[in-house]
Amino acid sequence: MSAAPAPAPVVPDARAQISPAPRGRRWKRSSLWRHRTLYLMALPGIAYFLVFKYAPMGGLVIAFQDYMPFLGVGGSPWVGFEHFVRFFTEDTFLLLLRNTVTISLLLLVFAFPVPIILALLLNEVRTRAFKRSVQTVIYLPHFMSWVIVVSIFYVLLSTDGGAVNNIIVEAGGRPVPFLTDPDWLRPMYVFQEVWKGAGWGTIVYLAAITAVDTQLYEAAELDGAGRLRQSWHITLPAIRPTIIVMFILAIGDFLELGFEHMFLVMNSLNREVGDIFDTYVYTAGIQNGQLSYAAAVGFFKGLVGLVLVVMANRLAKRFGEEGVY
């Protein structure tokens, strides 16, 4: 008679023997603690956006009220979409939309590619001193306020002793009213935007170019590719994600041209082509005291920017790019 088989030994569960880590130890293992230095560096930027960007969004509620400062937000009567209906039905809306869209398209067509072109050109410079000097010169206007920039162009383009008009008169021509002629407002505006902002964009793209693998250039050079072909087939595809991100951010500001710049270059003679949503918000809200109406106009601009960013980001992801989120 055979003996019964011995029962299999019971192996204790290793997971049951592992006691949970103390809470303090788990905290130190967390991603937040391990990258605490990076989070501390980002803290001022996060605080800036919370205080100056997100917190003021609560004031958009007055766009649906007949806001009166002495009554406050809680005591002002609600009017629903009355201010939006008024804004969309006025003749001013089409004028503002045409001017804003026209200038925004000009900036996308002419101002957006300039930093990319400058970055590609500077990448081909082999003399380090000359390269740094050019970078400094084109980056300096970024630190100037719009008051300084517009004042410089006023001195250069004024019909009363302006340097450019003096040259035109000396050449036998007649003075050109650059500052008052409506036909010159948009070209002057775009040129000033390029002159002031191209340096910042150039540094962004140059930083992206430094991440390109140099072995790709060496292999292309062995295959007989010149500098132009290397830039077209290697550099541009390598920095395409950066270009896409910058383009999406530019799309988000499509209706946000900025009040200060246009307010400084606009006057009573060129207002018809220079009046945009930003200047209209100032006129309606600050000068005329229509705070709720101005808030409705600003709400419309922000909503359009949000929709454009979402659409552009989805389109970028559909074509295989990462996008901004």
Side-chain angles (χ1 to χ4, degrees):
M1 188 171 181
S2 60
V10 179
V11 180
D13 190 358
R15 292 175 297 180
Q17 295 181 353
I18 300 176
S19 60
R23 189 172 182 178
R25 189 177 300 174
R26 292 201 307 268
W27 165 253
K28 290 186 177 181
R29 291 178 181 177
S30 65
S31 175
L32 184 63
W33 175 258
R34 285 187 287 107
H35 301 96
R36 59 188 180 278
T37 307
L38 297 177
Y39 285 111
L40 286 175
M41 292 175 60
L43 190 60
I46 295 174
Y48 167 80
F49 279 97
L50 289 177
V51 174
F52 296 103
K53 299 296 182 181
Y54 288 99
M57 290 176 64
L60 290 175
V61 69
I62 69 173
F64 305 94
Q65 294 179 319
D66 186 11
Y67 178 71
M68 301 178 184
F70 58 89
L71 294 178
V73 176
S76 299
W78 293 87
V79 296
F81 293 94
E82 179 180 327
H83 299 299
F84 294 93
V85 173
R86 172 192 166 189
F87 176 58
F88 294 139
T89 55
E90 285 186 347
D91 296 335
T92 311
F93 173 73
L94 294 178
L95 174 66
L96 298 173
L97 184 64
R98 183 181 69 246
N99 292 341
T100 306
V101 170
T102 301
I103 296 176
S104 297
L105 288 175
L106 290 174
L107 290 176
L108 284 178
V109 173
F110 295 102
F112 183 78
V114 170
I116 304 174
I117 298 173
L118 288 176
L120 293 175
L121 293 176
L122 286 175
N123 187 52
E124 301 301 322
V125 177
R126 294 294 175 260
T127 306
R128 182 172 299 182
F130 177 74
K131 182 178 181 178
R132 291 181 176 178
S133 300
V134 174
Q135 284 183 262
T136 303
V137 170
I138 64 176
Y139 192 45
L140 278 177
H142 176 74
F143 297 98
M144 298 181 184
S145 68
W146 279 117
V147 176
I148 302 299
V149 173
V150 175
S151 299
I152 292 174
F153 279 83
Y154 178 84
V155 173
L156 293 175
L157 302 178
S158 175
T159 54
D160 186 15
V164 175
N165 274 307
N166 286 342
I167 295 174
I168 294 176
V169 171
E170 291 294 333
R174 300 179 59 182
V176 180
F178 296 105
L179 303 176
T180 57
D181 190 350
D183 295 334
W184 281 101
L185 175 64
R186 291 167 181 168
M188 181 175 62
Y189 182 94
V190 173
F191 184 81
Q192 290 174 356
E193 287 282 350
V194 172
W195 186 69
K196 187 175 188 295
W200 166 254
T202 301
I203 289 182
V204 172
Y205 292 117
L206 280 174
I209 291 175
T210 57
V212 181
D213 190 357
T214 56
Q215 294 182 356
L216 297 176
Y217 295 107
E218 295 173 0
E221 190 173 355
L222 291 176
D223 291 338
R227 302 304 302 178
L228 182 60
R229 283 188 171 273
Q230 293 179 28
S231 298
W232 182 260
H233 294 287
I234 298 177
T235 309
L236 277 177
I239 66 174
R240 184 171 58 188
T242 304
I243 297 176
I244 295 297
V245 170
M246 298 296 287
F247 182 77
I248 294 175
L249 295 178
I251 287 292
D253 291 334
F254 192 75
L255 297 184
E256 190 73 28
L257 294 176
F259 159 76
E260 185 179 6
H261 185 194
M262 183 57 75
F263 181 77
L264 291 171
V265 299
M266 187 176 62
N267 51 60
S268 58
L269 298 178
N270 56 21
R271 180 176 294 274
E272 184 178 355
V273 298
D275 206 6
I276 57 177
F277 288 118
D278 298 278
T279 56
Y280 187 69
V281 168
Y282 170 79
T283 303
I286 304 300
Q287 293 185 341
N288 298 335
Q290 303 175 18
L291 300 178
S292 293
Y293 181 66
V297 179
F299 188 91
F300 166 73
K301 289 195 311 170
L303 185 61
V304 171
L306 175 62
V307 172
L308 290 176
V309 167
V310 172
M311 293 176 57
N313 192 74
R314 288 185 177 180
L315 188 62
K317 287 190 174 181
R318 184 171 296 181
F319 283 94
E321 301 296 335
E322 294 184 1
V324 295
Y325 63 88

mmCIF file of all heavy atoms in Angstrom, residues 82-121:
data_model
loop_
_atom_site.group_PDB
_atom_site.id
_atom_site.type_symbol
_atom_site.label_atom_id
_atom_site.label_comp_id
_atom_site.label_asym_id
_atom_site.label_seq_id
_atom_site.Cartn_x
_atom_site.Cartn_y
_atom_site.Cartn_z
ATOM 1 N N GLU A 82 -26.844 90.748 -23.209
ATOM 2 C CA GLU A 82 -27.228 92.027 -23.814
ATOM 3 C C GLU A 82 -26.040 92.751 -24.419
ATOM 4 O O GLU A 82 -26.126 93.288 -25.531
ATOM 5 C CB GLU A 82 -27.892 92.901 -22.753
ATOM 6 C CG GLU A 82 -28.311 94.276 -23.257
ATOM 7 C CD GLU A 82 -28.955 95.111 -22.175
ATOM 8 O OE1 GLU A 82 -29.643 94.516 -21.300
ATOM 9 O OE2 GLU A 82 -28.770 96.334 -22.196
ATOM 10 N N HIS A 83 -24.910 92.771 -23.723
ATOM 11 C CA HIS A 83 -23.726 93.476 -24.233
ATOM 12 C C HIS A 83 -23.141 92.762 -25.454
ATOM 13 O O HIS A 83 -22.636 93.427 -26.377
ATOM 14 C CB HIS A 83 -22.678 93.577 -23.134
ATOM 15 C CG HIS A 83 -23.129 94.329 -21.931
ATOM 16 N ND1 HIS A 83 -23.512 95.648 -21.974
ATOM 17 C CD2 HIS A 83 -23.268 93.924 -20.626
ATOM 18 C CE1 HIS A 83 -23.856 96.057 -20.760
ATOM 19 N NE2 HIS A 83 -23.722 95.021 -19.922
ATOM 20 N N PHE A 84 -23.208 91.455 -25.493
ATOM 21 C CA PHE A 84 -22.708 90.715 -26.651
ATOM 22 C C PHE A 84 -23.580 90.985 -27.880
ATOM 23 O O PHE A 84 -23.054 91.164 -28.988
ATOM 24 C CB PHE A 84 -22.672 89.215 -26.338
ATOM 25 C CG PHE A 84 -21.692 88.838 -25.279
ATOM 26 C CD1 PHE A 84 -22.078 88.756 -23.946
ATOM 27 C CD2 PHE A 84 -20.374 88.560 -25.598
ATOM 28 C CE1 PHE A 84 -21.178 88.399 -22.964
ATOM 29 C CE2 PHE A 84 -19.459 88.199 -24.617
ATOM 30 C CZ PHE A 84 -19.874 88.122 -23.294
ATOM 31 N N VAL A 85 -24.887 91.013 -27.688
ATOM 32 C CA VAL A 85 -25.799 91.307 -28.806
ATOM 33 C C VAL A 85 -25.539 92.707 -29.338
ATOM 34 O O VAL A 85 -25.483 92.928 -30.558
ATOM 35 C CB VAL A 85 -27.259 91.152 -28.353
ATOM 36 C CG1 VAL A 85 -28.215 91.614 -29.458
ATOM 37 C CG2 VAL A 85 -27.551 89.702 -27.964
ATOM 38 N N ARG A 86 -25.342 93.637 -28.435
ATOM 39 C CA ARG A 86 -25.051 95.011 -28.870
ATOM 40 C C ARG A 86 -23.750 95.077 -29.651
ATOM 41 O O ARG A 86 -23.662 95.741 -30.694
ATOM 42 C CB ARG A 86 -24.976 95.913 -27.640
ATOM 43 C CG ARG A 86 -24.487 97.329 -27.950
ATOM 44 C CD ARG A 86 -24.156 98.069 -26.673
ATOM 45 N NE ARG A 86 -23.388 99.276 -26.967
ATOM 46 C CZ ARG A 86 -22.821 100.032 -26.040
ATOM 47 N NH1 ARG A 86 -22.929 99.707 -24.754
ATOM 48 N NH2 ARG A 86 -22.128 101.107 -26.394
ATOM 49 N N PHE A 87 -22.726 94.364 -29.165
ATOM 50 C CA PHE A 87 -21.417 94.411 -29.815
ATOM 51 C C PHE A 87 -21.469 93.808 -31.219
ATOM 52 O O PHE A 87 -20.905 94.367 -32.170
ATOM 53 C CB PHE A 87 -20.405 93.661 -28.946
ATOM 54 C CG PHE A 87 -19.035 93.554 -29.550
ATOM 55 C CD1 PHE A 87 -18.322 94.677 -29.903
ATOM 56 C CD2 PHE A 87 -18.445 92.308 -29.747
ATOM 57 C CE1 PHE A 87 -17.048 94.571 -30.457
ATOM 58 C CE2 PHE A 87 -17.187 92.197 -30.287
ATOM 59 C CZ PHE A 87 -16.481 93.328 -30.644
ATOM 60 N N PHE A 88 -22.143 92.673 -31.376
ATOM 61 C CA PHE A 88 -22.193 91.998 -32.672
ATOM 62 C C PHE A 88 -23.102 92.694 -33.676
ATOM 63 O O PHE A 88 -22.948 92.484 -34.884
ATOM 64 C CB PHE A 88 -22.640 90.549 -32.493
ATOM 65 C CG PHE A 88 -21.652 89.705 -31.734
ATOM 66 C CD1 PHE A 88 -22.089 88.795 -30.787
ATOM 67 C CD2 PHE A 88 -20.297 89.831 -31.955
ATOM 68 C CE1 PHE A 88 -21.190 88.017 -30.080
ATOM 69 C CE2 PHE A 88 -19.387 89.063 -31.257
ATOM 70 C CZ PHE A 88 -19.833 88.154 -30.313
ATOM 71 N N THR A 89 -24.025 93.490 -33.218
ATOM 72 C CA THR A 89 -24.964 94.153 -34.132
ATOM 73 C C THR A 89 -24.543 95.568 -34.516
ATOM 74 O O THR A 89 -25.139 96.160 -35.418
ATOM 75 C CB THR A 89 -26.364 94.195 -33.501
ATOM 76 O OG1 THR A 89 -26.290 94.817 -32.204
ATOM 77 C CG2 THR A 89 -26.937 92.795 -33.376
ATOM 78 N N GLU A 90 -23.529 96.109 -33.853
ATOM 79 C CA GLU A 90 -23.069 97.453 -34.209
ATOM 80 C C GLU A 90 -22.186 97.411 -35.449
ATOM 81 O O GLU A 90 -21.501 96.413 -35.715
ATOM 82 C CB GLU A 90 -22.298 98.082 -33.044
ATOM 83 C CG GLU A 90 -23.186 98.543 -31.904
ATOM 84 C CD GLU A 90 -22.395 99.280 -30.835
ATOM 85 O OE1 GLU A 90 -21.137 99.207 -30.881
ATOM 86 O OE2 GLU A 90 -23.018 99.909 -29.968
ATOM 87 N N ASP A 91 -22.190 98.511 -36.190
ATOM 88 C CA ASP A 91 -21.344 98.605 -37.387
ATOM 89 C C ASP A 91 -19.863 98.594 -37.024
ATOM 90 O O ASP A 91 -19.021 98.219 -37.844
ATOM 91 C CB ASP A 91 -21.680 99.875 -38.166
ATOM 92 C CG ASP A 91 -23.105 99.863 -38.708
ATOM 93 O OD1 ASP A 91 -23.650 98.760 -38.898
ATOM 94 O OD2 ASP A 91 -23.663 100.954 -38.922
ATOM 95 N N THR A 92 -19.548 99.007 -35.815
ATOM 96 C CA THR A 92 -18.147 99.047 -35.381
ATOM 97 C C THR A 92 -17.524 97.665 -35.362
ATOM 98 O O THR A 92 -16.315 97.524 -35.570
ATOM 99 C CB THR A 92 -18.052 99.677 -33.983
ATOM 100 O OG1 THR A 92 -18.804 100.889 -33.957
ATOM 101 C CG2 THR A 92 -16.612 99.965 -33.607
ATOM 102 N N PHE A 93 -18.323 96.635 -35.117
ATOM 103 C CA PHE A 93 -17.781 95.276 -35.005
ATOM 104 C C PHE A 93 -17.086 94.846 -36.290
ATOM 105 O O PHE A 93 -15.986 94.292 -36.257
ATOM 106 C CB PHE A 93 -18.911 94.307 -34.664
ATOM 107 C CG PHE A 93 -18.492 92.859 -34.700
ATOM 108 C CD1 PHE A 93 -17.687 92.324 -33.718
ATOM 109 C CD2 PHE A 93 -18.891 92.039 -35.743
ATOM 110 C CE1 PHE A 93 -17.286 90.996 -33.750
ATOM 111 C CE2 PHE A 93 -18.496 90.706 -35.788
ATOM 112 C CZ PHE A 93 -17.700 90.188 -34.794
ATOM 113 N N LEU A 94 -17.714 95.081 -37.436
ATOM 114 C CA LEU A 94 -17.115 94.675 -38.711
ATOM 115 C C LEU A 94 -15.827 95.456 -38.987
ATOM 116 O O LEU A 94 -14.860 94.902 -39.512
ATOM 117 C CB LEU A 94 -18.115 94.872 -39.846
ATOM 118 C CG LEU A 94 -19.360 93.979 -39.796
ATOM 119 C CD1 LEU A 94 -20.299 94.309 -40.955
ATOM 120 C CD2 LEU A 94 -18.970 92.511 -39.828
ATOM 121 N N LEU A 95 -15.807 96.743 -38.628
ATOM 122 C CA LEU A 95 -14.594 97.546 -38.803
ATOM 123 C C LEU A 95 -13.466 97.015 -37.940
ATOM 124 O O LEU A 95 -12.326 96.842 -38.409
ATOM 125 C CB LEU A 95 -14.886 99.008 -38.462
ATOM 126 C CG LEU A 95 -13.678 99.963 -38.459
ATOM 127 C CD1 LEU A 95 -13.117 100.113 -39.872
ATOM 128 C CD2 LEU A 95 -14.062 101.309 -37.867
ATOM 129 N N LEU A 96 -13.753 96.746 -36.675
ATOM 130 C CA LEU A 96 -12.737 96.228 -35.764
ATOM 131 C C LEU A 96 -12.253 94.853 -36.207
ATOM 132 O O LEU A 96 -11.048 94.566 -36.159
ATOM 133 C CB LEU A 96 -13.295 96.151 -34.348
ATOM 134 C CG LEU A 96 -13.721 97.470 -33.702
ATOM 135 C CD1 LEU A 96 -14.400 97.201 -32.365
ATOM 136 C CD2 LEU A 96 -12.539 98.398 -33.521
ATOM 137 N N LEU A 97 -13.179 94.003 -36.632
ATOM 138 C CA LEU A 97 -12.803 92.660 -37.069
ATOM 139 C C LEU A 97 -11.923 92.713 -38.309
ATOM 140 O O LEU A 97 -10.911 91.990 -38.402
ATOM 141 C CB LEU A 97 -14.061 91.841 -37.342
ATOM 142 C CG LEU A 97 -13.848 90.373 -37.719
ATOM 143 C CD1 LEU A 97 -13.214 89.617 -36.570
ATOM 144 C CD2 LEU A 97 -15.173 89.724 -38.118
ATOM 145 N N ARG A 98 -12.268 93.571 -39.257
ATOM 146 C CA ARG A 98 -11.464 93.681 -40.484
ATOM 147 C C ARG A 98 -10.062 94.185 -40.173
ATOM 148 O O ARG A 98 -9.069 93.622 -40.656
ATOM 149 C CB ARG A 98 -12.158 94.624 -41.468
ATOM 150 C CG ARG A 98 -11.419 94.731 -42.814
ATOM 151 C CD ARG A 98 -12.093 95.685 -43.773
ATOM 152 N NE ARG A 98 -11.993 97.066 -43.338
ATOM 153 C CZ ARG A 98 -13.021 97.816 -42.967
ATOM 154 N NH1 ARG A 98 -14.237 97.289 -42.936
ATOM 155 N NH2 ARG A 98 -12.857 99.060 -42.591
ATOM 156 N N ASN A 99 -9.955 95.223 -39.367
ATOM 157 C CA ASN A 99 -8.636 95.773 -39.050
ATOM 158 C C ASN A 99 -7.782 94.772 -38.267
ATOM 159 O O ASN A 99 -6.595 94.587 -38.562
ATOM 160 C CB ASN A 99 -8.788 97.057 -38.238
ATOM 161 C CG ASN A 99 -9.385 98.191 -39.049
ATOM 162 O OD1 ASN A 99 -9.372 98.163 -40.287
ATOM 163 N ND2 ASN A 99 -9.937 99.175 -38.370
ATOM 164 N N THR A 100 -8.382 94.124 -37.282
ATOM 165 C CA THR A 100 -7.626 93.184 -36.451
ATOM 166 C C THR A 100 -7.171 91.969 -37.243
ATOM 167 O O THR A 100 -6.006 91.545 -37.148
ATOM 168 C CB THR A 100 -8.475 92.739 -35.250
ATOM 169 O OG1 THR A 100 -8.951 93.886 -34.535
ATOM 170 C CG2 THR A 100 -7.660 91.865 -34.316
ATOM 171 N N VAL A 101 -8.067 91.398 -38.026
ATOM 172 C CA VAL A 101 -7.725 90.205 -38.808
ATOM 173 C C VAL A 101 -6.674 90.542 -39.863
ATOM 174 O O VAL A 101 -5.731 89.766 -40.100
ATOM 175 C CB VAL A 101 -8.983 89.607 -39.454
ATOM 176 C CG1 VAL A 101 -8.619 88.523 -40.458
ATOM 177 C CG2 VAL A 101 -9.912 89.041 -38.384
ATOM 178 N N THR A 102 -6.794 91.699 -40.498
ATOM 179 C CA THR A 102 -5.827 92.093 -41.528
ATOM 180 C C THR A 102 -4.428 92.224 -40.948
ATOM 181 O O THR A 102 -3.455 91.688 -41.500
ATOM 182 C CB THR A 102 -6.256 93.418 -42.176
ATOM 183 O OG1 THR A 102 -7.552 93.277 -42.767
ATOM 184 C CG2 THR A 102 -5.266 93.826 -43.257
ATOM 185 N N ILE A 103 -4.307 92.923 -39.834
ATOM 186 C CA ILE A 103 -2.990 93.111 -39.235
ATOM 187 C C ILE A 103 -2.441 91.786 -38.702
ATOM 188 O O ILE A 103 -1.238 91.498 -38.816
ATOM 189 C CB ILE A 103 -3.068 94.161 -38.111
ATOM 190 C CG1 ILE A 103 -3.456 95.519 -38.698
ATOM 191 C CG2 ILE A 103 -1.743 94.271 -37.373
ATOM 192 C CD1 ILE A 103 -3.653 96.604 -37.659
ATOM 193 N N SER A 104 -3.300 90.944 -38.122
ATOM 194 C CA SER A 104 -2.845 89.653 -37.621
ATOM 195 C C SER A 104 -2.333 88.764 -38.744
ATOM 196 O O SER A 104 -1.315 88.071 -38.587
ATOM 197 C CB SER A 104 -3.984 88.953 -36.872
ATOM 198 O OG SER A 104 -4.386 89.699 -35.740
ATOM 199 N N LEU A 105 -3.019 88.771 -39.878
ATOM 200 C CA LEU A 105 -2.551 87.984 -41.026
ATOM 201 C C LEU A 105 -1.215 88.509 -41.547
ATOM 202 O O LEU A 105 -0.333 87.728 -41.919
ATOM 203 C CB LEU A 105 -3.600 88.007 -42.132
ATOM 204 C CG LEU A 105 -4.877 87.194 -41.866
ATOM 205 C CD1 LEU A 105 -5.880 87.396 -43.000
ATOM 206 C CD2 LEU A 105 -4.566 85.710 -41.710
ATOM 207 N N LEU A 106 -1.060 89.833 -41.570
ATOM 208 C CA LEU A 106 0.216 90.410 -41.996
ATOM 209 C C LEU A 106 1.348 89.996 -41.065
ATOM 210 O O LEU A 106 2.464 89.700 -41.519
ATOM 211 C CB LEU A 106 0.103 91.938 -42.052
ATOM 212 C CG LEU A 106 -0.768 92.516 -43.162
ATOM 213 C CD1 LEU A 106 -0.898 94.030 -42.999
ATOM 214 C CD2 LEU A 106 -0.197 92.195 -44.543
ATOM 215 N N LEU A 107 1.060 89.941 -39.769
ATOM 216 C CA LEU A 107 2.088 89.529 -38.822
ATOM 217 C C LEU A 107 2.453 88.057 -39.001
ATOM 218 O O LEU A 107 3.628 87.687 -38.912
ATOM 219 C CB LEU A 107 1.604 89.768 -37.390
ATOM 220 C CG LEU A 107 1.488 91.233 -36.949
ATOM 221 C CD1 LEU A 107 0.904 91.320 -35.547
ATOM 222 C CD2 LEU A 107 2.839 91.926 -37.011
ATOM 223 N N LEU A 108 1.455 87.212 -39.273
ATOM 224 C CA LEU A 108 1.743 85.794 -39.483
ATOM 225 C C LEU A 108 2.539 85.568 -40.759
ATOM 226 O O LEU A 108 3.431 84.716 -40.807
ATOM 227 C CB LEU A 108 0.437 84.997 -39.532
ATOM 228 C CG LEU A 108 -0.272 84.739 -38.205
ATOM 229 C CD1 LEU A 108 -1.558 83.975 -38.437
ATOM 230 C CD2 LEU A 108 0.622 83.970 -37.243
ATOM 231 N N VAL A 109 2.230 86.333 -41.782
ATOM 232 C CA VAL A 109 2.888 86.122 -43.076
ATOM 233 C C VAL A 109 4.295 86.699 -43.085
ATOM 234 O O VAL A 109 5.238 86.077 -43.607
ATOM 235 C CB VAL A 109 2.032 86.728 -44.205
ATOM 236 C CG1 VAL A 109 2.777 86.677 -45.532
ATOM 237 C CG2 VAL A 109 0.704 85.984 -44.324
ATOM 238 N N PHE A 110 4.470 87.888 -42.521
ATOM 239 C CA PHE A 110 5.753 88.579 -42.637
ATOM 240 C C PHE A 110 6.586 88.528 -41.362
ATOM 241 O O PHE A 110 7.815 88.387 -41.435
ATOM 242 C CB PHE A 110 5.521 90.051 -43.028
ATOM 243 C CG PHE A 110 4.917 90.233 -44.386
ATOM 244 C CD1 PHE A 110 3.568 90.518 -44.527
ATOM 245 C CD2 PHE A 110 5.690 90.092 -45.526
ATOM 246 C CE1 PHE A 110 3.002 90.678 -45.784
ATOM 247 C CE2 PHE A 110 5.136 90.246 -46.790
ATOM 248 C CZ PHE A 110 3.789 90.534 -46.919
ATOM 249 N N ALA A 111 5.964 88.657 -40.193
ATOM 250 C CA ALA A 111 6.731 88.723 -38.953
ATOM 251 C C ALA A 111 7.092 87.346 -38.422
ATOM 252 O O ALA A 111 8.179 87.165 -37.863
ATOM 253 C CB ALA A 111 5.952 89.498 -37.885
ATOM 254 N N PHE A 112 6.221 86.363 -38.568
ATOM 255 C CA PHE A 112 6.496 85.046 -37.990
ATOM 256 C C PHE A 112 7.707 84.348 -38.632
ATOM 257 O O PHE A 112 8.514 83.743 -37.913
ATOM 258 C CB PHE A 112 5.254 84.159 -38.116
ATOM 259 C CG PHE A 112 5.415 82.807 -37.499
ATOM 260 C CD1 PHE A 112 5.328 82.639 -36.121
ATOM 261 C CD2 PHE A 112 5.673 81.688 -38.281
ATOM 262 C CE1 PHE A 112 5.482 81.391 -35.543
ATOM 263 C CE2 PHE A 112 5.831 80.437 -37.713
ATOM 264 C CZ PHE A 112 5.731 80.286 -36.336
ATOM 265 N N PRO A 113 7.907 84.390 -39.955
ATOM 266 C CA PRO A 113 9.064 83.666 -40.522
ATOM 267 C C PRO A 113 10.404 84.341 -40.291
ATOM 268 O O PRO A 113 11.440 83.682 -40.438
ATOM 269 C CB PRO A 113 8.747 83.616 -42.032
ATOM 270 C CG PRO A 113 7.316 84.013 -42.160
ATOM 271 C CD PRO A 113 7.038 84.918 -41.012
ATOM 272 N N VAL A 114 10.418 85.626 -39.943
ATOM 273 C CA VAL A 114 11.690 86.350 -39.837
ATOM 274 C C VAL A 114 12.626 85.730 -38.803
ATOM 275 O O VAL A 114 13.821 85.516 -39.085
ATOM 276 C CB VAL A 114 11.436 87.843 -39.545
ATOM 277 C CG1 VAL A 114 12.739 88.560 -39.195
ATOM 278 C CG2 VAL A 114 10.782 88.510 -40.744
ATOM 279 N N PRO A 115 12.182 85.421 -37.575
ATOM 280 C CA PRO A 115 13.115 84.785 -36.618
ATOM 281 C C PRO A 115 13.660 83.449 -37.100
ATOM 282 O O PRO A 115 14.816 83.114 -36.814
ATOM 283 C CB PRO A 115 12.255 84.615 -35.358
ATOM 284 C CG PRO A 115 11.165 85.611 -35.487
ATOM 285 C CD PRO A 115 10.874 85.707 -36.946
ATOM 286 N N ILE A 116 12.856 82.690 -37.834
ATOM 287 C CA ILE A 116 13.337 81.400 -38.355
ATOM 288 C C ILE A 116 14.448 81.624 -39.362
ATOM 289 O O ILE A 116 15.489 80.953 -39.333
ATOM 290 C CB ILE A 116 12.172 80.622 -38.993
ATOM 291 C CG1 ILE A 116 11.035 80.435 -37.983
ATOM 292 C CG2 ILE A 116 12.638 79.275 -39.526
ATOM 293 C CD1 ILE A 116 9.794 79.801 -38.573
ATOM 294 N N ILE A 117 14.242 82.580 -40.259
ATOM 295 C CA ILE A 117 15.257 82.881 -41.278
ATOM 296 C C ILE A 117 16.535 83.396 -40.633
ATOM 297 O O ILE A 117 17.651 82.990 -40.991
ATOM 298 C CB ILE A 117 14.697 83.887 -42.296
ATOM 299 C CG1 ILE A 117 13.486 83.287 -43.028
ATOM 300 C CG2 ILE A 117 15.766 84.311 -43.292
ATOM 301 C CD1 ILE A 117 12.764 84.268 -43.922
ATOM 302 N N LEU A 118 16.396 84.300 -39.654
ATOM 303 C CA LEU A 118 17.581 84.831 -38.971
ATOM 304 C C LEU A 118 18.334 83.735 -38.226
ATOM 305 O O LEU A 118 19.574 83.713 -38.217
ATOM 306 C CB LEU A 118 17.162 85.936 -38.002
ATOM 307 C CG LEU A 118 16.714 87.263 -38.607
ATOM 308 C CD1 LEU A 118 16.232 88.215 -37.521
ATOM 309 C CD2 LEU A 118 17.844 87.900 -39.405
ATOM 310 N N ALA A 119 17.609 82.815 -37.612
ATOM 311 C CA ALA A 119 18.266 81.722 -36.890
ATOM 312 C C ALA A 119 19.033 80.819 -37.852
ATOM 313 O O ALA A 119 20.158 80.386 -37.550
ATOM 314 C CB ALA A 119 17.225 80.921 -36.108
ATOM 315 N N LEU A 120 18.448 80.535 -39.009
ATOM 316 C CA LEU A 120 19.142 79.707 -40.002
ATOM 317 C C LEU A 120 20.391 80.407 -40.527
ATOM 318 O O LEU A 120 21.436 79.770 -40.729
ATOM 319 C CB LEU A 120 18.194 79.380 -41.157
ATOM 320 C CG LEU A 120 16.998 78.475 -40.819
ATOM 321 C CD1 LEU A 120 16.086 78.333 -42.024
ATOM 322 C CD2 LEU A 120 17.461 77.107 -40.346
ATOM 323 N N LEU A 121 20.290 81.710 -40.739
ATOM 324 C CA LEU A 121 21.456 82.455 -41.224
ATOM 325 C C LEU A 121 22.555 82.524 -40.169
ATOM 326 O O LEU A 121 23.742 82.330 -40.479
ATOM 327 C CB LEU A 121 21.024 83.863 -41.642
ATOM 328 C CG LEU A 121 20.096 83.963 -42.864
ATOM 329 C CD1 LEU A 121 19.669 85.396 -43.094
ATOM 330 C CD2 LEU A 121 20.780 83.404 -44.107
#
